[in-house]
DNA sequence: AAATTTATCAACCGCGACCGA
DNA sequence: ATCGGTCGCGGTTGATAAATT
């Protein structure tokens, strides 16, 4: 038995989970609840640590997880919330139903970090994709950038041409790449944040002048999805 | 076609917070 | 009050796939 084995110091299983392990874990979590992970690990006979069981359940096995690629809408939310909260992945994940903190964290590191950096530095990110890579374009002069390993590029780099088939001037407007839905969602979040900020900001300092108090943004117990509920009605 | 590099993401680790005895 | 067990979070690693040379 794994319990006995563990007690005797036998090494715990590590690495990729197998289907049988997943089934076993699901069964025992259903029986015992999402608590006491060490107990679940022992009772199930899995040669895994409680931590590992918890991780597997929360990130891959629990119901209602949304699989598949992060959508543009979700990406925008992640970018904005990260700008507000920093690396508070679990907090951000709570705003994205069906997504896990680990998934968001990985997505940030692999896809969004450069994007956020570019935006922070006063550039904007234009989601153009040639099927392999995303491309960044600096605000204003499109010809000022050279293609390099950071995936920054010129219009020419992207299209292989600078003729009229590439609407470089048009790219100076970020909204051109946003769907109406995306723009609506984005604006809604910004409005919500602005409202919250204006109400909470200055609460403790009695001043409307510039000050050092930190704006209270979206409170933990608020539900942005309720606020933005109308967005799901696309009629 | 083979070797090398880069990107992706599942999984692990360490640490601090929390909770109950 | 404190102590040990457990949980949750964020950072990091490592295996694999994909792309490039």
């Amino acid at each position: 038995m794994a319990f006995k084995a563990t007690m005797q110091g036998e090494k715990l299983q590590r690495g990729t989970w197998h289907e049988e392990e997943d089934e076993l874990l699901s069964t025992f979590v259903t029986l015992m609840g999402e608590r006491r992970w060490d107990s679940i690990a022992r009772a199930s006979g899995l040669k895994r640590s409680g931590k590992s069981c918890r991780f597997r359940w929360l990130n891959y096995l629990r119901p209602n997880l949304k699989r598949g690629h992060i959508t543009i809408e979700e990406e925008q939310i992640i970018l904005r919330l990260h700008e507000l909260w920093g690396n508070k992945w679990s907090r951000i994940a709570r705003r994205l139903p069906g997504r896990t903190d680990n998934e968001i964290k990985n997505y940030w590191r692999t896809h969004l970090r450069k994007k956020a950096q570019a935006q922070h530095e006063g550039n904007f990110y234009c989601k153009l994709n040639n099927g392999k890579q995303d491309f960044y374009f600096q605000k204003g002069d499109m010809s000022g950038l050279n293609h390099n390993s950071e995936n920054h590029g010129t219009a020419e780099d992207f299209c292989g041409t600078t003729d009229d088939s590439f609407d470089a001037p048009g790219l100076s407007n970020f909204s051109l790449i946003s769907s109406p839905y995306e723009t609506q969602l984005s604006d809604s979040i910004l409005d919500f944040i602005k409202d919250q900020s204006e109400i909470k900001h200055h609460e403790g300092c009695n001043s409307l002048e510039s000050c050092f108090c930190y704006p209270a943004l979206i409170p933990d117990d608020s539900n942005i999805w309720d606020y933005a509920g109308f967005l799901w009605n696309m009629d």
Side-chain angles (χ1 to χ4, degrees):
Chain A
M1 292 292 286
F3 175 62
K4 198 176 171 185
T6 303
M7 294 298 283
Q8 287 173 347
E10 187 178 316
K11 274 193 175 178
L12 291 171
Q13 174 95 8
R14 291 180 58 176
T16 310
W17 280 67
H18 301 103
E19 207 176 317
E20 315 85 68
E21 292 181 297
D22 284 344
E23 285 172 14
L24 203 51
L25 178 58
S26 295
T27 303
F28 276 82
V29 172
T30 305
L31 286 171
M32 300 171 69
E34 296 180 42
R35 302 286 297 176
R36 315 281 303 176
W37 293 104
D38 282 342
S39 302
I40 289 171
R42 285 195 294 266
S44 63
L46 288 164
K47 293 178 182 177
R48 298 277 184 172
S49 68
K51 268 190 169 187
S52 183
C53 291
R54 174 183 169 273
F55 186 90
R56 185 69 185 170
W57 172 260
L58 291 179
N59 286 284
Y60 302 97
L61 300 177
R62 76 182 151 99
N64 302 324
L65 277 179
K66 198 188 284 183
R67 307 307 300 176
H69 295 299
I70 302 272
T71 64
I72 295 289
E73 287 82 5
E74 289 173 315
E75 187 179 301
Q76 286 295 309
I77 292 169
I78 294 168
L79 276 168
R80 294 195 192 289
L81 294 183
H82 185 272
E83 201 178 325
L84 293 173
W85 296 334
N87 298 352
K88 300 296 176 186
W89 307 117
S90 63
R91 197 174 175 187
I92 294 170
R94 284 197 285 273
R95 305 290 181 196
L96 293 167
R99 300 294 184 187
T100 69
D101 55 352
N102 200 49
E103 191 178 9
I104 292 169
K105 179 171 58 180
N106 280 331
Y107 190 76
W108 171 266
R109 294 181 66 82
T110 54
H111 296 96
L112 300 182
R113 195 161 44 177
K114 286 174 192 168
K115 210 176 285 188
Q117 201 172 358
Q119 286 182 354
H120 186 71
E121 286 166 1
N123 303 331
F124 71 92
Y125 172 74
C126 178
K127 191 174 180 71
L128 286 173
N129 189 294
N130 65 356
K132 292 175 184 175
Q133 294 177 301
D134 291 344
F135 287 80
Y136 297 84
F137 295 94
Q138 194 166 30
K139 182 164 52 186
D141 183 8
M142 301 293 294
S143 63
L145 286 169
N146 294 315
H147 194 207
N148 60 27
S149 61
E150 296 291 308
N151 293 351
H152 291 75
T154 63
E156 191 174 359
D157 287 328
F158 179 72
C159 294
T161 175
T162 52
D163 65 19
D164 290 340
S165 65
F166 188 86
D167 177 23
L171 286 166
S172 61
N173 185 350
F174 178 76
S175 66
L176 283 178
I177 63 157
S178 302
S179 65
Y181 177 93
E182 208 182 327
T183 306
Q184 196 177 10
L185 176 62
S186 173
D187 290 344
S188 161
I189 291 170
L190 278 177
D191 285 344
F192 178 78
I193 289 166
K194 196 179 161 197
D195 287 347
Q196 293 291 321
S197 183
E198 283 176 1
I199 292 167
K200 297 287 183 182
H201 196 201
H202 300 297
E203 251 179 10
C205 68
N206 299 322
S207 167
L208 292 175
E209 302 295 324
S210 60
C211 67
F212 293 105
C213 69
Y214 193 80
L217 297 163
I218 302 172
D220 259 344
D221 56 355
S222 71
N223 191 334
I224 198 168
W225 301 108
D226 289 342
Y227 179 85
F230 73 93
L231 288 165
W232 309 119
N233 181 1
M234 294 303 286
D235 292 341

